[in-house]
Amino acid sequence: MNQTYRAAVAAWLDRHWEEILTDIETLVRIPSVAVYNDPDTPFGNECRQALETALLLAQKYGFETENYENQCGSITLRPSDHEIGFWGHLDVVPAGNGWTLTAPFEPLRTDDYLFGRGSDDNKGPLVGVMHLLRAFEELRIPTRHGLRLYMGCDEEKGMHDAIWFAQNRKPADLNLIPDCGFPVCYGEKGILTLSLVSDLPMTSIRALQGGKASNMVPDEAEIRLSGVCAEKDSGRVQRTVRDQCTCIHAHGVPAHSAYPQRGINAINLAMQDACDTGLLASQDVRALHFLSEITQDYLGTRLGIAGEDALSGITTCVGSMMHLDDRMRIWLHLNIRYSITRDGKALIAEIESSAREQGFHLEEVQDSAPHYFPREAPIVDRLTHVYNEITGENRQPYIMGGGTYARKLPNALGFGLGGMPRDEHLFEPGHGGAHQADEGLYLPNYRKALEIFAMGILEADAVWPVPEAGT
């Protein structure tokens, strides 16, 4: 590791720290939740506003920028035929409920935290990489490759931006994704999403709603039933009676669908309580009991898909959204993260068989195959060494359940900027993290992470080959 460059970057970050945090706050104020409703603005006006704002910030610092049909954008340092790309994203998950420290899109800064939706996932890391490229230019740190930061707008919902880019533009020779925990994520589990839909309409359920995003453990759910039973308030479940109907409202704990053990599923709480009321018609009991069993754990046990492998761990299954359609059929959306050695088609067949037996069928099936970057590639160990040398830790590369742009791009792996221990004393359970209320960027970690990432860029630039002319 070049200690001279490390010291220069560290001093540069200290001088420009206020600018970095101000730029993050500027982007956090934009409620950039992706929506698909306008062919001229593929991910909605807010995502386009976030992209345009980020590109204007980059232009202010002297970068060349490009907007790729509002799918994504880029800023470039030393354009070249051979580049290293960095992919961050400007879209965020929905705000959710339960914020206590600030409103989701009103950034709040303390000595140690910057709060707001997207501060940690992924606007903070994206802004950090932009400023690191600026530091490399101002400090005249040489690189063999061109360096390009891509700014996506649809990472949280479908990654259609990266899919579009890979099909319509030339991806970089190597792609580093600053959207995971350090040191190096060289693989990601498969992600299977689908909806279980009841074959028959519900007759005793008047309304049913829960969850806001596929990749979030739902923190709110509501079921309204015909008939009257005893009211109750058990803390997480409230049951009230009005107009000859019983309304069940459940409060869970949100978490990322990749780590469901950190949350409490409000859909499951509401369904279990509905089954306990005695108000459900027989076929409705059967349907809700089946779905409550599915959401009872996060292993997919009821569907027959529980399993794990030594490489990537357990398969997880989250019932993340539910609703009644206009034919009064129940839809339960599942977000499944399956082990890297499993076959997605076989999982779908197993789920379909279990569903058919209970009067359900599958809709909206989408399978994103597992991603694997060769563990033996020298860059994996070089980047891991950078992290361990700077932090004094001894972490190892890993495979995760989260999904990032790495799975849609060639020669891609995750490298930071998160995963370091942080001060959690401010937070209630289920608060403070990505996809949770009171999402916060822990600034002492962020400052160190930028230094680590800068040195990682230099290691990647040194170890990743630049093809000789004519090859």
Side-chain angles (χ1 to χ4, degrees), residues 132-295:
L132 288 179
L133 298 190
R134 180 185 169 204
F136 273 45
E137 178 66 5
E138 294 182 6
L139 297 172
R140 302 186 184 279
I141 298 175
T143 57
R144 298 159 65 233
H145 299 79
L147 305 177
R148 190 181 298 258
L149 170 62
Y150 295 93
M151 304 174 174
C153 296
D154 186 42
E155 196 272 351
E156 296 289 6
K157 290 189 73 173
M159 304 190 195
H160 298 94
D161 49 354
I163 295 170
W164 179 93
F165 186 89
Q167 293 173 345
N168 293 277
R169 297 290 190 273
K170 178 182 179 294
D173 295 8
L174 172 70
N175 294 283
L176 299 182
I177 317 299
D179 191 16
C180 66
F182 282 120
V184 173
C185 177
Y186 65 96
E188 298 176 1
K189 293 178 182 178
I191 301 179
L192 172 62
T193 61
L194 56 87
S195 291
L196 299 175
V197 184
S198 62
D199 297 330
L200 298 174
M202 301 296 102
T203 60
S204 54
I205 299 174
R206 302 284 296 275
L208 178 145
Q209 188 72 37
K212 298 180 179 66
S214 172
N215 57 1
M216 294 177 66
V217 174
D219 61 343
E220 299 283 339
E222 185 170 286
I223 301 175
R224 186 155 53 94
L225 307 175
S226 298
V228 174
C229 70
E231 295 188 339
K232 78 172 190 178
D233 186 346
S234 63
R236 293 210 173 273
V237 178
Q238 289 82 45
R239 188 194 297 164
T240 58
V241 175
R242 184 176 180 182
D243 299 329
Q244 298 302 303
C245 288
T246 297
C247 182
I248 298 165
H249 195 101
H251 308 268
V253 175
H256 195 299
S257 291
Y259 312 103
Q261 63 273 23
R262 301 174 184 174
I264 297 174
N265 193 319
I267 288 175
N268 175 260
L269 297 177
M271 286 185 172
Q272 285 195 357
D273 194 68
C275 290
D276 290 342
T277 62
L279 297 176
L280 293 172
S282 59
Q283 69 184 38
D284 298 2
V285 169
R286 182 187 181 196
L288 251 64
H289 183 68
F290 173 57
L291 299 182
S292 70
E293 287 185 321
I294 292 172
T295 55

Side-chain angles (χ1 to χ4, degrees), residues 219-470:
D219 61 343
E220 299 283 339
E222 185 170 286
I223 301 175
R224 186 155 53 94
L225 307 175
S226 298
V228 174
C229 70
E231 295 188 339
K232 78 172 190 178
D233 186 346
S234 63
R236 293 210 173 273
V237 178
Q238 289 82 45
R239 188 194 297 164
T240 58
V241 175
R242 184 176 180 182
D243 299 329
Q244 298 302 303
C245 288
T246 297
C247 182
I248 298 165
H249 195 101
H251 308 268
V253 175
H256 195 299
S257 291
Y259 312 103
Q261 63 273 23
R262 301 174 184 174
I264 297 174
N265 193 319
I267 288 175
N268 175 260
L269 297 177
M271 286 185 172
Q272 285 195 357
D273 194 68
C275 290
D276 290 342
T277 62
L279 297 176
L280 293 172
S282 59
Q283 69 184 38
D284 298 2
V285 169
R286 182 187 181 196
L288 251 64
H289 183 68
F290 173 57
L291 299 182
S292 70
E293 287 185 321
I294 292 172
T295 55
Q296 178 65 41
D297 65 26
Y298 53 82
L299 302 174
T301 305
R302 181 62 179 84
L303 295 170
I305 62 171
E308 63 181 303
D309 63 24
L311 195 61
S312 55
I314 62 172
T315 291
T316 61
C317 175
V318 175
S320 56
M321 295 185 291
M322 69 173 182
H323 73 277
L324 282 182
D325 65 17
D326 55 7
R327 294 163 57 185
M328 302 303 288
R329 300 178 306 170
I330 292 183
W331 290 59
L332 176 68
H333 178 87
L334 300 181
N335 187 293
I336 297 165
R337 311 292 174 117
Y338 61 90
S339 302
I340 203 165
T341 56
R342 299 189 76 170
D343 178 69
K345 291 181 180 179
L347 283 177
I348 293 169
E350 291 168 358
I351 295 169
E352 190 169 31
S353 176
S354 297
R356 191 183 306 113
E357 292 176 357
Q358 298 297 322
F360 283 77
H361 64 277
L362 308 189
E363 300 271 4
E364 302 177 333
V365 179
Q366 296 187 35
D367 182 24
S368 179
H371 165 69
Y372 183 81
F373 185 95
R375 170 63 182 87
E376 64 276 9
I379 191 172
V380 176
D381 286 332
R382 292 284 286 269
L383 292 177
T384 300
H385 178 75
V386 167
Y387 174 81
N388 286 333
E389 182 176 349
I390 291 177
T391 63
E393 298 181 24
N394 186 28
R395 293 195 184 181
Q396 297 301 312
Y398 65 96
I399 291 173
M400 72 171 179
T404 72
Y405 286 131
R407 65 179 55 239
K408 303 300 182 184
L409 299 165
N411 298 324
L413 69 164
F415 182 55
L417 293 169
M420 294 184 283
R422 66 179 193 167
D423 182 0
E424 298 278 1
H425 80 278
L426 293 173
F427 303 113
E428 305 170 21
H431 286 237
H435 298 204
Q436 295 181 328
D438 298 324
E439 177 180 345
L441 180 67
Y442 187 51
L443 299 179
N445 279 358
Y446 180 64
R447 171 62 181 76
K448 181 175 287 187
L450 292 180
E451 192 174 324
I452 294 166
F453 200 87
M455 295 301 99
I457 292 173
L458 291 179
E459 290 297 317
D461 180 65
V463 73
W464 196 258
V466 176
E468 296 180 7

Side-chain angles (χ1 to χ4, degrees), residues 76-91:
T76 311
L77 177 65
R78 304 159 194 162
S80 168
D81 290 337
H82 301 289
E83 295 181 343
I84 297 175
F86 314 98
W87 279 80
H89 64 90
L90 293 161
D91 64 303

